[in-house]
Amino acid sequence: MPTLFAPAGAGEAGGDGWGSARAALANSKWAGTFSGLVGRTRAGSIRLAPAFLVGTAFRMVTGADLAVMQRGQLWSTSDPYDITLAPGAQEYSVEQGGELAAAIAIATDPTKDVMAYLREQHVPVSKLIVLTPPGGPAKDGSVADSTAANALAVGIRDHLRGVTRPVRRMHLFLACPMGLSLFLGHRWNRLCQTVVYEDIKVDEGYEPAFTIEA
């Protein structure tokens, strides 16, 4: 069971605080994905969209640090890195509107499923940007440790900052380690409004989980 560690009181105040994230979870179908809120430790079975939301509640700009157990390793947002890892990037034309879709294809490649969802649901995006591990395809173990996760989270955010400047809303699909989803949320600022999707694996395949003001 994944366990998150955060400073007591961090992110409590303001619209982006832990209280707001907890309220968003409570008012969504994902309320059961995060439990055991005791003291400094937040423990539970955490899906990718809620993990991203929690990261935004404790953003780096608040001074908070986060840590998570990822496959037996402690990943921390405070772990240093020397060089930002720029993701690989591919673009696919959709031409259904002026917004943008992005898929974080790190653990597996969701491109086919995301494209099908965008088409079937008539999501108003001009294109889909698929971001992959540096130098290789999406696969398990492509993020080796906490240092790599921090460096890649910054690289993904910086790439999306550049491509989303002309747009007002991004549709975000996550296929990555839970710790990377958390780290991305932690560093998600100076970006456009972001609709985060959860892979439900039935019916339409995805559904909007949360909307983040970045």
Side-chain angles (χ1 to χ4, degrees), residues 70-161:
Q70 182 73 44
R71 293 192 174 182
Q73 296 181 0
L74 183 66
W75 285 15
S76 172
T77 56
S78 63
D79 286 339
Y81 61 91
D82 293 325
I83 301 173
T84 297
L85 292 178
Q90 291 183 297
E91 295 188 2
Y92 299 86
S93 178
V94 182
E95 301 300 338
Q96 293 179 169
E99 299 174 5
L100 183 74
I104 311 303
I106 303 300
T108 189
D109 185 358
T111 302
K112 182 178 178 180
D113 290 342
V114 172
M115 283 292 287
Y117 176 85
L118 296 173
R119 297 288 192 196
E120 290 167 5
Q121 300 302 310
H122 306 288
V123 181
V125 298
S126 61
K127 61 185 173 181
L128 168 66
I129 297 175
V130 179
L131 301 182
T132 57
K139 63 180 181 180
D140 286 340
S142 58
V143 183
D145 53 26
S146 179
T147 296
N150 277 293
L152 183 56
V154 174
I156 290 171
R157 181 204 61 194
D158 289 352
H159 184 94
L160 291 175
R161 275 181 180 170

Coordinates of all heavy atoms in Angstrom, one line a residue, residues 70-161:
Q70 N 8.0 3.8 -3.5 CA 7.7 3.4 -4.8 C 8.5 2.1 -5.1 O 9.7 2.1 -5.2 CB 8.2 4.5 -5.8 CG 7.9 4.1 -7.3 CD 6.4 4.2 -7.7 OE1 5.7 5.2 -7.3 NE2 6.0 3.2 -8.4
R71 N 7.8 1.0 -5.1 CA 8.5 -0.3 -5.3 C 9.6 -0.5 -4.3 O 10.7 -0.9 -4.8 CB 8.9 -0.5 -6.7 CG 7.7 -0.6 -7.7 CD 8.1 -1.0 -9.1 NE 7.0 -1.2 -10.0 CZ 7.1 -1.6 -11.2 NH1 8.3 -1.9 -11.7 NH2 6.0 -1.8 -11.9
G72 N 9.4 -0.2 -3.1 CA 10.4 -0.5 -2.1 C 11.5 0.6 -1.9 O 12.3 0.5 -1.0
Q73 N 11.4 1.6 -2.8 CA 12.3 2.8 -2.7 C 11.6 4.0 -2.1 O 10.4 4.2 -2.5 CB 12.9 3.1 -4.0 CG 13.8 2.1 -4.7 CD 14.3 2.6 -6.0 OE1 14.1 3.7 -6.5 NE2 15.1 1.8 -6.7
L74 N 12.3 4.8 -1.3 CA 11.7 6.0 -0.9 C 12.1 7.1 -1.9 O 13.2 7.5 -2.1 CB 12.3 6.4 0.5 CG 11.7 7.7 1.1 CD1 10.2 7.5 1.4 CD2 12.4 8.2 2.3
W75 N 11.0 7.6 -2.6 CA 11.2 8.7 -3.5 C 10.8 10.0 -2.8 O 9.7 10.1 -2.2 CB 10.3 8.5 -4.7 CG 10.8 7.5 -5.7 CD1 11.7 6.5 -5.5 CD2 10.3 7.3 -7.1 NE1 11.8 5.7 -6.6 CE2 11.0 6.2 -7.6 CE3 9.3 7.9 -7.8 CZ2 10.8 5.8 -8.9 CZ3 9.1 7.5 -9.1 CH2 9.8 6.4 -9.6
S76 N 11.6 11.0 -2.9 CA 11.4 12.3 -2.2 C 11.5 13.5 -3.2 O 12.5 13.5 -4.0 CB 12.3 12.5 -1.0 OG 12.2 13.8 -0.5
T77 N 10.6 14.4 -3.1 CA 10.7 15.6 -4.0 C 12.0 16.5 -3.6 O 12.3 17.3 -4.4 CB 9.5 16.5 -3.9 OG1 9.3 16.8 -2.5 CG2 8.3 15.7 -4.4
S78 N 12.6 16.2 -2.5 CA 13.7 17.0 -2.1 C 15.1 16.4 -2.6 O 16.1 17.0 -2.4 CB 13.8 17.1 -0.6 OG 14.0 15.9 0.1
D79 N 15.0 15.2 -3.2 CA 16.2 14.6 -3.7 C 16.8 15.4 -4.9 O 16.1 15.7 -5.8 CB 16.0 13.1 -4.2 CG 15.8 12.2 -3.0 OD1 16.2 12.5 -1.9 OD2 15.2 11.1 -3.2
P80 N 18.1 15.7 -4.8 CA 18.7 16.6 -5.9 C 19.0 15.8 -7.2 O 19.1 14.6 -7.2 CB 20.0 17.0 -5.2 CG 20.4 15.9 -4.3 CD 19.1 15.3 -3.8
Y81 N 19.1 16.6 -8.2 CA 19.5 16.0 -9.5 C 20.4 17.1 -10.2 O 20.3 18.3 -9.9 CB 18.3 15.7 -10.4 CG 17.4 17.0 -10.7 CD1 17.7 17.7 -11.8 CD2 16.4 17.4 -9.8 CE1 16.9 18.9 -12.1 CE2 15.6 18.5 -10.1 CZ 15.9 19.2 -11.2 OH 15.2 20.3 -11.5
D82 N 21.2 16.6 -11.1 CA 22.2 17.5 -11.7 C 21.7 18.1 -13.0 O 21.9 19.2 -13.3 CB 23.5 16.8 -12.0 CG 24.2 16.4 -10.7 OD1 24.2 17.2 -9.8 OD2 24.9 15.3 -10.7
I83 N 21.0 17.2 -13.8 CA 20.5 17.7 -15.2 C 19.1 17.3 -15.3 O 18.7 16.1 -15.0 CB 21.4 17.0 -16.3 CG1 22.9 17.3 -16.1 CG2 20.9 17.4 -17.7 CD1 23.8 16.6 -17.0
T84 N 18.3 18.2 -15.9 CA 16.9 17.9 -16.2 C 16.8 16.8 -17.3 O 17.6 16.9 -18.2 CB 16.2 19.2 -16.7 OG1 16.2 20.1 -15.6 CG2 14.8 18.9 -17.1
L85 N 15.9 15.9 -17.1 CA 15.7 14.9 -18.2 C 14.6 15.3 -19.1 O 13.4 15.3 -18.7 CB 15.4 13.5 -17.5 CG 16.5 12.8 -16.7 CD1 16.0 11.5 -16.1 CD2 17.8 12.6 -17.6
A86 N 15.0 15.6 -20.3 CA 13.9 16.0 -21.3 C 13.3 14.7 -21.9 O 14.0 13.8 -22.3 CB 14.6 16.8 -22.5
P87 N 12.0 14.7 -21.9 CA 11.3 13.5 -22.4 C 11.3 13.4 -23.9 O 11.5 14.5 -24.6 CB 9.8 13.7 -21.9 CG 9.7 15.2 -21.9 CD 11.0 15.7 -21.4
G88 N 11.2 12.2 -24.5 CA 10.9 12.2 -25.9 C 9.5 12.7 -26.2 O 8.6 12.7 -25.3
A89 N 9.2 13.2 -27.4 CA 7.9 13.8 -27.7 C 7.5 13.4 -29.1 O 8.3 13.5 -30.0 CB 8.0 15.3 -27.5
Q90 N 6.2 13.1 -29.2 CA 5.6 12.9 -30.5 C 4.3 13.6 -30.5 O 3.6 13.7 -29.5 CB 5.4 11.4 -30.8 CG 6.7 10.6 -31.0 CD 6.4 9.2 -31.4 OE1 5.8 8.4 -30.6 NE2 6.7 8.8 -32.6
E91 N 3.9 14.1 -31.7 CA 2.6 14.8 -31.8 C 1.7 14.1 -32.8 O 2.2 13.7 -33.9 CB 2.9 16.3 -32.2 CG 3.6 17.1 -31.2 CD 3.7 18.6 -31.6 OE1 3.1 19.0 -32.6 OE2 4.3 19.3 -30.8
Y92 N 0.4 14.1 -32.5 CA -0.6 13.5 -33.3 C -1.7 14.5 -33.6 O -2.3 15.0 -32.6 CB -1.1 12.2 -32.7 CG -0.1 11.1 -32.4 CD1 0.7 11.2 -31.3 CD2 0.1 10.2 -33.4 CE1 1.6 10.2 -31.0 CE2 1.1 9.2 -33.2 CZ 1.9 9.2 -32.0 OH 2.8 8.3 -31.8
S93 N -2.0 14.7 -34.8 CA -3.1 15.7 -35.1 C -4.5 15.1 -34.8 O -4.8 14.0 -35.0 CB -3.0 16.0 -36.6 OG -4.0 16.9 -37.0
V94 N -5.3 16.0 -34.2 CA -6.7 15.7 -33.9 C -7.6 16.6 -34.6 O -8.6 16.2 -35.1 CB -6.9 15.7 -32.3 CG1 -8.3 15.2 -32.0 CG2 -5.9 14.7 -31.6
E95 N -7.3 17.9 -34.5 CA -8.1 19.0 -35.2 C -9.6 18.9 -34.8 O -10.5 18.9 -35.7 CB -7.9 18.8 -36.7 CG -6.5 18.9 -37.2 CD -5.8 20.2 -36.8 OE1 -6.5 21.2 -36.6 OE2 -4.6 20.3 -36.7
Q96 N -9.9 19.0 -33.5 CA -11.3 19.1 -33.1 C -11.5 20.3 -32.2 O -12.7 20.5 -31.7 CB -11.6 17.8 -32.2 CG -11.6 16.5 -33.0 CD -11.9 15.3 -32.2 OE1 -12.2 14.2 -32.8 NE2 -11.9 15.4 -30.9
G97 N -10.6 21.2 -32.1 CA -10.7 22.4 -31.3 C -9.4 23.0 -31.0 O -8.4 22.6 -31.5
G98 N -9.4 24.0 -30.1 CA -8.2 24.8 -29.8 C -7.5 24.4 -28.6 O -6.5 25.0 -28.2
E99 N -7.9 23.4 -27.9 CA -7.3 22.9 -26.6 C -6.2 21.9 -27.0 O -6.0 21.6 -28.2 CB -8.3 22.4 -25.6 CG -9.3 23.5 -25.3 CD -10.4 23.1 -24.4 OE1 -10.4 21.9 -24.0 OE2 -11.3 23.9 -24.1
L100 N -5.5 21.4 -26.0 CA -4.4 20.5 -26.2 C -4.5 19.2 -25.3 O -5.0 19.4 -24.1 CB -3.1 21.2 -25.9 CG -1.8 20.4 -26.1 CD1 -1.5 20.3 -27.6 CD2 -0.6 21.1 -25.4
A101 N -4.2 18.1 -25.8 CA -4.1 16.8 -25.0 C -2.7 16.4 -24.9 O -1.9 16.6 -25.8 CB -4.9 15.7 -25.7
A102 N -2.3 15.9 -23.7 CA -1.0 15.4 -23.4 C -1.1 14.0 -22.7 O -1.9 13.9 -21.8 CB -0.2 16.4 -22.6
A103 N -0.3 13.1 -23.2 CA -0.2 11.8 -22.5 C 1.2 11.5 -22.0 O 2.2 11.7 -22.7 CB -0.6 10.7 -23.5
I104 N 1.3 11.2 -20.7 CA 2.6 10.9 -20.1 C 2.8 9.4 -20.2 O 2.3 8.6 -19.4 CB 2.6 11.4 -18.6 CG1 2.1 12.8 -18.5 CG2 4.0 11.3 -18.0 CD1 2.8 13.8 -19.4
A105 N 3.5 9.0 -21.3 CA 3.6 7.6 -21.6 C 5.0 7.1 -21.1 O 5.9 6.9 -21.9 CB 3.5 7.4 -23.1
I106 N 5.1 6.8 -19.8 CA 6.4 6.5 -19.2 C 6.4 5.0 -18.9 O 7.4 4.3 -19.2 CB 6.6 7.3 -18.0 CG1 6.6 8.8 -18.3 CG2 7.9 6.9 -17.3 CD1 7.6 9.2 -19.3
A107 N 5.3 4.4 -18.2 CA 5.3 3.0 -17.9 C 4.7 2.2 -19.0 O 5.1 1.0 -19.2 CB 4.5 2.8 -16.6
T108 N 3.8 2.7 -19.8 CA 3.2 2.1 -20.9 C 2.8 3.1 -21.9 O 2.7 4.3 -21.6 CB 2.0 1.2 -20.4 OG1 1.6 0.4 -21.5 CG2 0.9 2.0 -19.9
D109 N 2.5 2.7 -23.1 CA 2.1 3.7 -24.2 C 0.6 3.7 -24.3 O 0.0 2.7 -24.9 CB 2.8 3.3 -25.5 CG 2.5 4.3 -26.6 OD1 1.8 5.3 -26.3 OD2 3.0 4.2 -27.7
P110 N -0.1 4.7 -23.9 CA -1.6 4.8 -24.0 C -2.1 5.5 -25.3 O -3.2 5.8 -25.4 CB -2.0 5.6 -22.8 CG -0.9 6.6 -22.7 CD 0.4 5.9 -23.2
T111 N -1.2 5.7 -26.3 CA -1.5 6.6 -27.4 C -2.8 6.1 -28.1 O -3.7 6.9 -28.4 CB -0.3 6.7 -28.4 OG1 0.8 7.1 -27.7 CG2 -0.7 7.6 -29.6
K112 N -2.8 4.8 -28.4 CA -4.0 4.3 -29.2 C -5.3 4.5 -28.4 O -6.3 5.0 -29.0 CB -3.8 2.9 -29.5 CG -4.9 2.2 -30.3 CD -4.6 0.8 -30.6 CE -5.8 0.1 -31.4 NZ -5.5 -1.3 -31.7
D113 N -5.3 4.2 -27.1 CA -6.5 4.4 -26.3 C -6.9 5.8 -26.1 O -8.1 6.2 -26.2 CB -6.3 3.7 -25.0 CG -6.2 2.2 -25.0 OD1 -6.7 1.6 -26.1 OD2 -5.7 1.6 -24.1
V114 N -5.9 6.7 -25.9 CA -6.2 8.1 -25.7 C -6.7 8.7 -27.0 O -7.7 9.5 -27.0 CB -4.9 8.9 -25.3 CG1 -5.2 10.4 -25.3 CG2 -4.5 8.4 -23.9
M115 N -6.1 8.4 -28.1 CA -6.6 8.9 -29.4 C -8.1 8.5 -29.7 O -8.9 9.3 -30.1 CB -5.7 8.5 -30.6 CG -4.4 9.3 -30.7 SD -4.7 11.0 -31.2 CE -5.1 10.8 -32.9
A116 N -8.4 7.2 -29.3 CA -9.7 6.7 -29.5 C -10.7 7.5 -28.6 O -11.8 7.8 -29.0 CB -9.8 5.2 -29.2
Y117 N -10.3 7.7 -27.4 CA -11.1 8.5 -26.5 C -11.4 9.9 -27.0 O -12.5 10.4 -26.9 CB -10.5 8.5 -25.1 CG -11.3 9.3 -24.1 CD1 -12.4 8.8 -23.4 CD2 -11.0 10.7 -23.8 CE1 -13.1 9.5 -22.5 CE2 -11.7 11.4 -22.9 CZ -12.7 10.9 -22.3 OH -13.5 11.6 -21.4
L118 N -10.3 10.5 -27.4 CA -10.5 11.9 -27.9 C -11.4 12.0 -29.1 O -12.3 12.9 -29.1 CB -9.1 12.5 -28.3 CG -8.1 12.6 -27.2 CD1 -6.7 13.0 -27.8 CD2 -8.5 13.7 -26.1
R119 N -11.3 11.0 -30.0 CA -12.2 11.0 -31.1 C -13.7 10.7 -30.7 O -14.6 11.4 -31.1 CB -11.7 9.9 -32.1 CG -10.4 10.2 -32.7 CD -10.4 11.3 -33.7 NE -9.2 11.4 -34.5 CZ -8.8 12.5 -35.2 NH1 -9.6 13.6 -35.2 NH2 -7.7 12.5 -35.9
E120 N -13.8 9.7 -29.9 CA -15.2 9.2 -29.6 C -15.9 10.2 -28.7 O -17.1 10.4 -28.9 CB -15.1 7.9 -28.8 CG -14.7 6.7 -29.7 CD -14.3 5.5 -28.9 OE1 -14.5 5.5 -27.7 OE2 -13.8 4.5 -29.5
Q121 N -15.2 10.9 -27.8 CA -15.8 11.9 -27.0 C -15.8 13.3 -27.5 O -16.2 14.3 -26.8 CB -15.1 11.8 -25.6 CG -15.2 10.5 -24.9 CD -16.6 10.0 -24.7 OE1 -17.5 10.8 -24.2 NE2 -16.9 8.8 -25.1
H122 N -15.2 13.5 -28.7 CA -15.2 14.8 -29.3 C -14.5 15.9 -28.4 O -15.0 17.0 -28.3 CB -16.6 15.3 -29.8 CG -17.3 14.3 -30.6 ND1 -16.9 14.0 -32.0 CD2 -18.3 13.4 -30.4 CE1 -17.7 13.1 -32.5 NE2 -18.5 12.7 -31.5
V123 N -13.4 15.5 -27.8 CA -12.7 16.4 -26.9 C -12.1 17.5 -27.8 O -11.5 17.2 -28.8 CB -11.6 15.7 -26.1 CG1 -10.9 16.7 -25.2 CG2 -12.2 14.5 -25.3
P124 N -12.3 18.8 -27.5 CA -12.0 19.9 -28.4 C -10.5 20.2 -28.4 O -10.1 21.3 -27.9 CB -12.8 21.0 -27.8 CG -12.9 20.8 -26.4 CD -13.0 19.3 -26.2
V125 N -9.7 19.3 -28.9 CA -8.2 19.5 -28.9 C -7.7 19.5 -30.3 O -8.3 18.9 -31.2 CB -7.5 18.4 -28.1 CG1 -7.9 18.5 -26.6 CG2 -7.7 17.0 -28.7
S126 N -6.6 20.3 -30.5 CA -6.0 20.3 -31.9 C -5.0 19.2 -32.1 O -4.9 18.7 -33.2 CB -5.3 21.6 -32.0 OG -4.2 21.8 -31.1
K127 N -4.4 18.7 -31.0 CA -3.4 17.6 -31.2 C -3.2 16.9 -29.8 O -3.6 17.4 -28.8 CB -2.1 18.2 -31.7 CG -1.4 19.2 -30.8 CD -0.2 19.8 -31.5 CE 0.4 21.0 -30.7 NZ 1.6 21.5 -31.4
L128 N -2.6 15.8 -29.9 CA -2.2 15.0 -28.8 C -0.6 15.0 -28.8 O 0.0 14.6 -29.7 CB -2.7 13.6 -28.8 CG -2.1 12.6 -27.8 CD1 -2.5 12.9 -26.4 CD2 -2.6 11.1 -28.1
I129 N -0.1 15.4 -27.6 CA 1.4 15.3 -27.4 C 1.7 14.1 -26.5 O 1.1 14.0 -25.4 CB 2.0 16.6 -26.8 CG1 1.7 17.7 -27.8 CG2 3.4 16.4 -26.5 CD1 2.1 19.1 -27.2
V130 N 2.5 13.2 -27.0 CA 2.8 12.0 -26.2 C 4.3 12.1 -25.7 O 5.2 12.2 -26.6 CB 2.7 10.7 -27.0 CG1 3.1 9.5 -26.2 CG2 1.2 10.5 -27.5
L131 N 4.5 12.1 -24.4 CA 5.8 12.2 -23.8 C 6.3 10.9 -23.3 O 5.6 10.2 -22.5 CB 5.8 13.3 -22.7 CG 5.4 14.7 -23.2 CD1 5.4 15.7 -22.0 CD2 6.2 15.2 -24.3
T132 N 7.5 10.5 -23.7 CA 8.0 9.2 -23.4 C 9.4 9.3 -22.6 O 9.9 10.4 -22.5 CB 8.3 8.4 -24.7 OG1 9.1 9.2 -25.5 CG2 6.9 8.2 -25.4
P133 N 9.9 8.2 -22.1 CA 11.1 8.2 -21.4 C 12.3 8.7 -22.3 O 12.2 8.5 -23.5 CB 11.4 6.8 -21.0 CG 10.0 6.2 -20.9 CD 9.3 6.8 -22.0
P134 N 13.2 9.5 -21.8 CA 14.4 9.9 -22.6 C 15.1 8.7 -23.2 O 15.5 7.8 -22.5 CB 15.3 10.6 -21.6 CG 14.4 11.0 -20.4 CD 13.4 9.9 -20.4
G135 N 15.2 8.8 -24.5 CA 16.1 7.8 -25.2 C 15.4 6.4 -25.3 O 16.1 5.4 -25.7
G136 N 14.2 6.2 -25.1 CA 13.6 4.9 -25.2 C 12.1 4.9 -25.1 O 11.5 5.9 -24.8
P137 N 11.5 3.7 -25.4 CA 10.0 3.6 -25.4 C 9.5 3.5 -23.9 O 10.3 3.2 -23.0 CB 9.7 2.3 -26.2 CG 11.0 1.5 -25.9 CD 12.1 2.4 -25.8
A138 N 8.2 3.6 -23.8 CA 7.6 3.5 -22.5 C 7.7 2.0 -22.0 O 7.5 1.1 -22.8 CB 6.1 3.8 -22.5
K139 N 8.1 1.8 -20.7 CA 8.2 0.5 -20.2 C 8.3 0.5 -18.7 O 8.7 1.6 -18.1 CB 9.4 -0.3 -20.8 CG 10.8 0.4 -20.4 CD 11.9 -0.4 -21.0 CE 13.3 0.3 -20.6 NZ 14.4 -0.4 -21.2
D140 N 8.0 -0.6 -18.0 CA 8.2 -0.7 -16.6 C 9.7 -0.4 -16.2 O 10.6 -0.9 -17.0 CB 7.8 -2.0 -16.1 CG 6.3 -2.2 -16.0 OD1 5.6 -1.2 -16.1 OD2 5.8 -3.3 -16.0
G141 N 9.9 0.3 -15.2 CA 11.3 0.5 -14.7 C 12.0 1.6 -15.5 O 13.3 1.7 -15.3
S142 N 11.3 2.3 -16.3 CA 12.0 3.3 -17.1 C 12.5 4.5 -16.2 O 13.3 5.3 -16.7 CB 11.2 3.8 -18.3 OG 9.9 4.3 -17.8
V143 N 11.9 4.7 -15.0 CA 12.3 5.7 -14.1 C 13.0 4.9 -13.0 O 12.4 4.3 -12.1 CB 11.1 6.5 -13.5 CG1 11.6 7.6 -12.6 CG2 10.3 7.1 -14.7
A144 N 14.4 5.1 -12.9 CA 15.2 4.2 -12.1 C 15.0 4.5 -10.6 O 15.0 3.6 -9.7 CB 16.6 4.3 -12.5
D145 N 14.9 5.8 -10.2 CA 14.9 6.1 -8.8 C 14.4 7.5 -8.6 O 13.9 8.2 -9.6 CB 16.4 6.0 -8.2 CG 17.4 6.8 -9.1 OD1 17.0 7.8 -9.7 OD2 18.6 6.4 -9.1
S146 N 14.5 8.0 -7.4 CA 13.9 9.3 -7.0 C 14.6 10.4 -7.8 O 13.9 11.4 -8.2 CB 14.0 9.5 -5.5 OG 13.5 10.8 -5.1
T147 N 15.9 10.4 -7.9 CA 16.6 11.4 -8.6 C 16.1 11.5 -10.1 O 15.9 12.6 -10.6 CB 18.1 11.1 -8.6 OG1 18.6 11.2 -7.3 CG2 18.9 12.1 -9.4
A148 N 16.0 10.4 -10.7 CA 15.5 10.4 -12.1 C 14.1 10.9 -12.2 O 13.7 11.6 -13.1 CB 15.6 9.0 -12.7
A149 N 13.2 10.5 -11.2 CA 11.8 11.0 -11.2 C 11.7 12.5 -11.1 O 11.0 13.2 -11.8 CB 11.1 10.3 -10.1
N150 N 12.6 13.1 -10.2 CA 12.6 14.6 -10.1 C 13.0 15.2 -11.4 O 12.4 16.2 -11.8 CB 13.5 15.0 -8.9 CG 12.8 14.9 -7.6 OD1 11.9 15.6 -7.3 ND2 13.2 14.0 -6.7
A151 N 14.1 14.7 -11.9 CA 14.7 15.3 -13.2 C 13.7 15.2 -14.3 O 13.5 16.1 -15.1 CB 16.0 14.6 -13.5
L152 N 13.0 14.0 -14.4 CA 12.0 13.8 -15.5 C 10.8 14.7 -15.3 O 10.2 15.2 -16.3 CB 11.7 12.4 -15.6 CG 10.7 12.0 -16.8 CD1 11.3 12.5 -18.1 CD2 10.5 10.5 -16.8
A153 N 10.3 14.8 -14.0 CA 9.1 15.6 -13.8 C 9.4 17.1 -14.2 O 8.5 17.7 -14.8 CB 8.8 15.6 -12.3
V154 N 10.6 17.6 -13.9 CA 10.9 18.9 -14.4 C 10.9 19.0 -15.9 O 10.5 20.0 -16.5 CB 12.2 19.4 -13.8 CG1 12.6 20.8 -14.3 CG2 12.1 19.5 -12.2
G155 N 11.5 18.0 -16.5 CA 11.6 18.0 -18.0 C 10.3 18.0 -18.7 O 10.0 18.6 -19.6
I156 N 9.3 17.1 -18.1 CA 8.0 17.1 -18.7 C 7.3 18.4 -18.5 O 6.7 18.9 -19.4 CB 7.2 15.9 -18.0 CG1 7.8 14.6 -18.4 CG2 5.7 16.0 -18.3 CD1 7.2 13.4 -17.6
R157 N 7.4 18.9 -17.3 CA 6.7 20.2 -17.0 C 7.2 21.3 -17.9 O 6.4 22.1 -18.5 CB 6.9 20.7 -15.6 CG 6.2 22.0 -15.2 CD 6.9 22.6 -14.0 NE 8.3 22.9 -14.3 CZ 9.2 23.3 -13.4 NH1 8.8 23.3 -12.1 NH2 10.4 23.6 -13.7
D158 N 8.5 21.4 -18.1 CA 9.1 22.4 -18.9 C 8.7 22.3 -20.4 O 8.5 23.3 -21.1 CB 10.6 22.4 -18.8 CG 11.1 23.0 -17.4 OD1 10.2 23.4 -16.6 OD2 12.3 22.9 -17.1
H159 N 8.7 21.0 -20.9 CA 8.2 20.8 -22.3 C 6.8 21.3 -22.4 O 6.5 22.0 -23.4 CB 8.4 19.3 -22.6 CG 8.0 19.0 -24.0 ND1 9.0 19.0 -25.0 CD2 6.8 18.8 -24.6 CE1 8.4 18.7 -26.2 NE2 7.1 18.6 -26.0
L160 N 5.9 20.9 -21.5 CA 4.5 21.3 -21.6 C 4.3 22.8 -21.4 O 3.4 23.4 -22.0 CB 3.7 20.5 -20.6 CG 3.6 19.0 -21.0 CD1 2.8 18.3 -19.9 CD2 2.9 18.8 -22.3
R161 N 5.1 23.4 -20.6 CA 5.0 24.9 -20.5 C 5.2 25.5 -21.9 O 4.5 26.5 -22.3 CB 6.1 25.4 -19.6 CG 5.7 25.4 -18.1 CD 6.9 26.0 -17.3 NE 6.5 26.0 -15.9 CZ 7.4 26.3 -14.9 NH1 8.7 26.5 -15.3 NH2 7.1 26.3 -13.7

